[in-house]
Amino acid sequence: MEDQQNLEAIMGLIMFGGNAKSDAMEAIAAAKHGDFELAEQKIAEAEESLVQAHHSQTDMLTQEAQGNHVQVTLLTVHSQDHLMTSIAFTDLAKEIIDLYRRTYSE
């Protein structure tokens, strides 16, 4: 994989992963204030960012599968860690929103 293309994929993981985590945090804040419509909108935005991040990751995996080996750098590892953390955080945010929803409905 060319260095520029590799860097773009890595930065895509970091950028979209960061966007997902930020949107998930905003979703929790909205739910905390009882705005579940906004919370669901923010979770949908987080999930869309995760889809975009997965596209970047798939590009890297496809290149690797085609024999164009990606040099694993600290930045590469960081980008994968960023994505996985964002996925876990978004999943957890959904659970927290559900708890707030139950609290508000009682």
Side-chain angles (χ1 to χ4, degrees), residues 6-19 49-50 52-58 60 75-76 78-84 86:
N6 187 31
L7 184 59
E8 288 175 14
I10 289 168
M11 295 312 290
L13 289 176
I14 294 169
M15 180 184 68
F16 290 117
N19 289 347
S49 289
L50 291 176
Q52 294 300 320
H54 277 293
H55 289 311
S56 293
Q57 186 180 48
T58 299
M60 292 174 71
L75 192 57
T76 309
H78 174 69
S79 70
Q80 292 295 319
D81 180 57
H82 209 61
L83 175 59
M84 295 308 298
S86 297

Side-chain angles (χ1 to χ4, degrees), residues 25-80:
M25 183 59 87
E26 289 178 25
I28 292 170
K32 185 175 185 176
H33 292 98
D35 190 346
F36 297 104
E37 185 176 325
L38 179 58
E40 292 302 326
Q41 176 189 336
K42 287 299 189 177
I43 286 295
E45 291 173 11
E47 289 176 334
E48 179 57 33
S49 289
L50 291 176
V51 167
Q52 294 300 320
H54 277 293
H55 289 311
S56 293
Q57 186 180 48
T58 299
D59 289 345
M60 292 174 71
L61 293 171
T62 299
Q63 289 297 320
E64 186 77 22
Q66 292 174 346
N68 301 320
H69 299 293
V70 175
Q71 181 182 1
V72 178
T73 65
L74 183 57
L75 192 57
T76 309
V77 173
H78 174 69
S79 70
Q80 292 295 319

